[in-house]
């Protein structure tokens, strides 16, 4: 059972859409800069309804954000809302909260980091890069593979687990990977700002190879080429 129609919902649909023992809530506010209390209220109402309708499933999966661990953004309205939704989900008899970083995939959402970079580079529009910032990139297909393994193990319930790349990449490196994917040089100004924050992936590391996921040195280039390359 899937609730939603965006990137995550479409990616999980072949795996979980026909299952009646799992409910994946992949809907709600997708713009991390959102400050609209009405949007947040709508998600709370929809999530509450989904929790009630799926109270007998073996796993109710909610997708949180790894930004909850980022001191620079964990007090934003969006992150505070996501944390409140996590608490609501944990009231379900069999909840599983999966926190995600920057997820790569085919989506029209202009607010994702990769879509932002792709748009600016392809249109030769200037932008600012925070030189000290790092971001964690993961392929949505790998999110699905790892999540499916977590759900198949009954011990992963009533908990919050990070599904993320073991290595976060400097923004400069992400821009360079996008330049290689689209075959065009970016126009940007670099400023000495930003930081990184740790993401604990110790729970998923034993499952990575089992799930067929390979986080190697070429992962970032492979993912950006897959979704943004000329031959995609």
């Amino acid at each position: 059972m899937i609730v939603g129609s965006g990137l995550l919902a479409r990616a999980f649909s072949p795996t979980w859409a026909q299952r009646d023992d799992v409910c994946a809530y992949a809907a709600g506010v997708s713009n991390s800069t959102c400050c609209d209390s009405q949007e947040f209220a709508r998600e709370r109402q929809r999530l509450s309804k989904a929790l009630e309708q799926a109270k007998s499933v073996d796993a109710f999966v909610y997708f949180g954000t790894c930004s909850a661990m980022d001191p620079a953004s964990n007090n934003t309205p969006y992150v505070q809302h996501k944390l409140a939704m996590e608490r609501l989900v944990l009231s379900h008899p069999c909840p599983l909260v999966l926190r995600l970083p920057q997820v790569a995939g085919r989506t029209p959402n202009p607010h994702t980091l990769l879509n932002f970079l792709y748009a600016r580079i392809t249109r030769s529009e200037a932008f600012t890069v925070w030189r000290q910032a790092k971001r964690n990139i993961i392929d949505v297909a790998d999110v699905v593979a790892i999540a499916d393994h977590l759900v198949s193990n009954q011990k992963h319930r009533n908990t919050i687990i990070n599904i993320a790349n073991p290595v976060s990449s400097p923004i400069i490196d992400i821009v360079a990977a996008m330049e290689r994917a689209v075959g065009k040089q970016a126009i940007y100004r670099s400023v000495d700002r930003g930081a990184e924050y740790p993401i604990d992936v110790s729970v998923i590391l034993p499952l990575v190879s089992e799930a067929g996921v390979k986080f190697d040195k070429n992962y970032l280039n492979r993912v950006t080429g897959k979704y943004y390359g000329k031959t995609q």
Side-chain angles (χ1 to χ4, degrees):
M1 182 187 318
I2 308 287
V3 179
S5 58
L7 172 63
L8 288 173
R10 293 193 304 273
F12 276 94
S13 185
T15 306
W16 290 351
Q18 302 306 315
R19 292 183 61 170
D20 56 11
D21 61 328
V22 177
C23 179
Y25 187 89
V29 180
S30 60
N31 181 1
S32 61
T33 64
C34 179
C35 298
D36 189 340
S37 59
Q38 291 184 334
E39 285 290 318
F40 296 149
R42 274 192 287 270
E43 179 175 355
R44 175 179 282 276
Q45 184 177 28
R46 187 177 184 185
L47 177 57
S48 297
K49 182 178 179 180
L51 286 165
E52 178 60 28
Q53 292 177 336
K55 59 185 177 183
S56 62
V57 298
D58 292 335
F60 189 100
V61 181
Y62 179 78
F63 300 99
T65 175
C66 289
S67 294
M69 292 164 284
D70 180 5
S73 61
N74 62 12
N75 284 322
T76 64
Y78 173 80
V79 173
Q80 287 300 305
H81 165 72
K82 295 293 284 185
L83 291 173
M85 295 305 95
E86 288 183 0
R87 291 190 291 270
L88 184 60
V89 169
L90 291 173
S91 67
H92 187 276
C94 298
L96 176 58
V97 174
L98 302 178
R99 286 181 176 169
L100 306 178
Q102 300 283 339
V103 179
R106 293 188 176 91
T107 170
N109 182 355
H111 303 294
T112 70
L113 171 63
L114 295 181
N115 276 2
F116 170 85
L117 293 177
Y118 176 79
R120 294 299 181 276
I121 293 172
T122 56
R123 297 198 296 247
S124 297
E125 296 176 355
F127 58 95
T128 300
V129 170
W130 289 14
R131 192 162 48 246
Q132 304 302 325
K134 288 188 177 183
R135 291 295 179 265
N136 193 286
I137 306 294
I138 189 169
D139 190 334
V140 69
D142 294 336
V143 172
V144 172
I146 295 170
D148 196 45
H149 273 66
L150 289 171
V151 166
S152 67
N153 191 326
Q154 290 289 333
K155 75 175 184 179
H156 297 304
R157 299 292 187 273
N158 299 290
T159 190
I160 299 172
I161 298 174
N162 300 317
I163 296 182
N165 189 328
V167 178
S168 293
S169 301
I171 290 291
I172 293 288
D173 290 354
I174 299 173
V175 171
M178 189 64 75
E179 289 177 319
R180 286 189 287 270
V182 303
K184 190 172 183 180
Q185 189 170 359
I187 303 171
Y188 63 87
R189 165 176 85 94
S190 178
V191 297
D192 192 24
R193 295 185 63 185
E196 65 174 309
Y197 57 92
I199 300 176
D200 182 2
V201 293
S202 58
V203 174
I204 70 163
L205 283 181
L207 307 173
V208 168
S209 59
E210 196 176 322
V213 178
K214 188 177 182 181
F215 292 116
D216 56 16
K217 292 182 178 179
N218 197 45
Y219 187 84
L220 179 61
N221 288 321
R222 191 164 63 246
V223 171
T224 51
K226 175 181 178 180
Y227 294 113
Y228 300 95
K230 293 180 179 179
T231 59
Q232 62 177 304

